[in-house]
Amino acid sequence: MRKKIISAMLILTCALLLFGCATTMSLSPANAKRIHTVYVNPKVTTPKEMYYMGSGFGFLFGGIGGAVQAAANQSPGERMALFARQHGIYIERIVQDEVIQQLKAKTAFRVTNSKQADATINLKIKTYGLSVPTTFSTGVKPMIDIEANMVDRQNQMIWANSDSVLPLSPGMPEYSTKAIGKNPQLLKKMWEAAAGKSVSNIVESL
């Protein structure tokens, strides 16, 4: 089992390092001067499956009628994603909310709900999930890789940036799956922490 975890963690780390090489584009002074209002596209792209590497968690569905049978043939990532949705926890909403909050706090742009804004920010979650940070860990930590771009009214890309948070990234909360099962809000807290750190690094370039 330990060899399997080590192999999976190496693959994950390499993949996220490659994702970190995604397209980046600085916002030019001319574009920055003409962009006053920004619309954050609520259609956040997510991967088909959440990543999960850790211990089993069949007990997560103990209190949800029919969920055990429904999740029987799903991968660990799919089962954890189902658990999150059944408790109203959506990674796309977490990332979108974090982007809006940090745009308001760290930039001069005015965030608007109008699609007629000077620019639109599109978001893509390339990877997200939970993983043990080391082979000796009893709990899991959050991980996420986010890509963002800004397009003007002519749909021309004028800015792009990305950032990822690994299970070994400092400051990330760690909980056992048993604790998450008892308190699903811990899962939300973990993803908020990872999204917050990643989005902060992305928005810094604006």
Side-chain angles (χ1 to χ4, degrees):
M1 179 63 180
R2 183 172 297 174
K3 288 183 178 179
K4 182 179 179 182
I5 291 176
I6 292 174
S7 177
M9 290 177 68
L10 287 173
I11 293 172
L12 170 64
T13 301
C14 291
L16 287 179
L17 287 174
L18 288 173
F19 289 154
C21 298
T23 301
T24 59
M25 178 186 293
S26 298
L27 185 66
S28 69
N31 282 326
K33 191 173 182 179
R34 68 187 178 92
I35 301 300
H36 303 287
T37 57
V38 171
Y39 171 72
V40 179
N41 188 350
K43 295 182 179 179
V44 181
T45 303
T46 57
K48 289 183 63 176
E49 186 174 330
M50 178 194 128
Y51 179 89
Y52 180 84
M53 175 53 65
S55 60
F57 43 80
F59 55 84
L60 288 180
F61 301 97
I64 304 174
V68 174
Q69 182 177 358
N73 296 320
Q74 294 179 326
S75 69
E78 289 174 323
R79 292 199 295 273
M80 183 61 83
L82 173 62
F83 174 78
R85 290 193 299 271
Q86 289 176 326
H87 289 86
I89 303 169
Y90 295 88
I91 189 65
E92 53 267 51
R93 292 180 188 173
I94 290 173
V95 170
Q96 181 191 10
D97 289 346
E98 194 63 45
V99 170
I100 291 173
Q101 291 173 18
Q102 296 208 31
L103 284 173
K104 290 179 177 179
K106 297 182 177 181
T107 74
F109 302 128
R110 182 168 63 84
V111 181
T112 176
N113 292 325
S114 172
K115 294 182 180 180
Q116 302 306 312
D118 297 328
T120 296
I121 290 182
N122 300 302
L123 302 167
K124 181 178 182 178
I125 302 171
K126 302 182 76 172
T127 306
Y128 79 101
L130 301 171
S131 176
V132 289
T134 70
T135 57
F136 300 100
S137 300
T138 56
V140 291
K141 287 191 173 188
M143 46 156 291
I144 197 165
D145 185 60
I146 303 172
E147 188 175 280
N149 70 64
M150 179 187 288
V151 297
D152 61 17
R153 287 181 177 176
Q154 287 70 48
N155 203 36
Q156 295 296 311
M157 189 167 69
I158 57 176
W159 168 84
N161 201 3
S162 63
D163 188 78
S164 60
V165 170
L166 294 165
L168 286 174
S169 296
M172 290 298 104
E174 178 177 348
Y175 298 106
S176 68
T177 51
K178 188 173 184 178
I180 294 171
K182 291 181 178 179
N183 182 6
Q185 288 305 305
L186 293 179
L187 179 59
K188 183 179 181 181
K189 180 180 178 180
M190 296 168 79
W191 282 345
E192 285 177 338
K197 183 172 184 177
S198 182
V199 170
S200 177
N201 292 334
I202 290 173
V203 171
E204 278 183 358
S205 67
L206 283 173

